[in-house]
Amino acid sequence: MKLLIFVNLIFFSVCFSQKKQSRFAVINSDDYSLEYDKKYFTETDGIGNSFLLFINDSNKNYIEFLRISSEDLGNYEKMDLEYFSEIREYALKEEYKILNKNKDSLNGNEYIDFIYEKETSTGNFKSLERLFFYKSKIHKLLFNSSKRDFEKHLPKVIEVLNSFKFK
């Protein structure tokens, strides 16, 4: 009887694992990895460590996406997450209304989130930008959406952001 229960447990584990593998995809760069739902996002390769994930259930009038990019800042001696976020905040204030700035950590790595919005003649949008500083590189994860659909897509985007891991 115990053997039968054990075999059933293994069978269901394998089935669940295969189901998860078919629904989720992994992006692996030189520096990081993250997982996303293939039914919700469509991946487009970028250059180097940059990737775009377009939201499939997107507003037809606005392209909604999650962009992952990295920039080497090794030439700047005093650069760190705090300093870069101050520079970024200053640049954002020129064009956007910053709604929130928050510092937290994920998998032992600190990050800073900005949530900001802008009203334009072509529509209103809202963005969540997450900044990580790791091994002299800034890693930006930018979710851009119509202001109307931001909250609708945010839970799926947070799932992707929370799967982000450095190698």
Side-chain angles (χ1 to χ4, degrees), residues 4-18:
L4 184 59
I5 293 171
F6 179 71
V7 169
N8 281 332
L9 263 169
I10 290 176
F11 174 75
F12 287 116
S13 301
V14 168
C15 289
F16 177 74
S17 169
Q18 288 175 347

Side-chain angles (χ1 to χ4, degrees), residues 55-90:
I55 295 174
N56 294 330
D57 182 29
S58 185
N59 176 344
K60 300 300 179 210
N61 298 319
Y62 195 87
I63 297 173
E64 295 170 312
F65 62 87
L66 175 62
R67 182 183 72 215
I68 304 103
S69 62
S70 301
E71 185 179 342
D72 189 352
L73 301 174
N75 292 334
Y76 303 97
E77 290 179 25
K78 296 182 181 180
M79 190 61 67
D80 62 11
L81 180 62
E82 291 290 333
Y83 189 65
F84 186 87
S85 73
E86 289 174 16
I87 294 168
R88 186 68 182 133
E89 183 174 9
Y90 180 77

Side-chain angles (χ1 to χ4, degrees), residues 119-132:
E119 295 182 15
T120 67
S121 59
T122 58
N124 302 332
F125 71 89
K126 193 170 179 181
S127 299
L128 164 64
E129 186 171 329
R130 181 166 288 179
L131 304 173
F132 286 98

Side-chain angles (χ1 to χ4, degrees), residues 114-164:
F114 287 100
I115 296 178
Y116 52 91
E117 66 183 14
K118 184 173 183 174
E119 295 182 15
T120 67
S121 59
T122 58
N124 302 332
F125 71 89
K126 193 170 179 181
S127 299
L128 164 64
E129 186 171 329
R130 181 166 288 179
L131 304 173
F132 286 98
F133 190 82
Y134 185 75
K135 293 186 179 178
S136 75
K137 290 182 182 177
I138 194 73
H139 301 275
K140 297 181 212 171
L141 292 84
L142 172 67
F143 164 51
N144 199 38
S145 175
S146 64
K147 186 175 177 181
R148 182 187 69 172
D149 291 335
F150 183 84
E151 296 298 327
K152 174 179 131 181
H153 297 302
L154 190 59
K156 284 290 189 182
V157 168
I158 293 295
E159 284 178 18
V160 175
L161 295 178
N162 287 343
S163 75
F164 187 82

Side-chain angles (χ1 to χ4, degrees), residues 11-113:
F11 174 75
F12 287 116
S13 301
V14 168
C15 289
F16 177 74
S17 169
Q18 288 175 347
K19 184 177 180 181
K20 184 177 178 184
Q21 288 174 357
S22 66
R23 184 174 170 198
F24 290 90
V26 176
I27 292 176
N28 280 304
S29 79
D30 296 339
D31 298 324
Y32 60 82
S33 68
L34 62 86
E35 188 176 273
Y36 67 93
D37 183 338
K38 293 189 299 189
K39 292 182 179 182
Y40 205 84
F41 297 95
T42 300
E43 178 186 345
T44 302
D45 286 338
I47 299 170
N49 282 340
S50 298
F51 297 91
L52 275 172
L53 296 175
F54 290 102
I55 295 174
N56 294 330
D57 182 29
S58 185
N59 176 344
K60 300 300 179 210
N61 298 319
Y62 195 87
I63 297 173
E64 295 170 312
F65 62 87
L66 175 62
R67 182 183 72 215
I68 304 103
S69 62
S70 301
E71 185 179 342
D72 189 352
L73 301 174
N75 292 334
Y76 303 97
E77 290 179 25
K78 296 182 181 180
M79 190 61 67
D80 62 11
L81 180 62
E82 291 290 333
Y83 189 65
F84 186 87
S85 73
E86 289 174 16
I87 294 168
R88 186 68 182 133
E89 183 174 9
Y90 180 77
L92 286 171
K93 284 182 179 179
E94 295 292 316
E95 290 190 53
Y96 306 97
K97 179 180 177 185
I98 298 175
L99 304 173
N100 190 18
K101 180 181 178 184
N102 183 47
K103 185 176 182 180
D104 208 339
S105 66
L106 177 68
N107 300 318
N109 296 292
E110 288 187 340
Y111 65 84
I112 294 179
D113 280 346

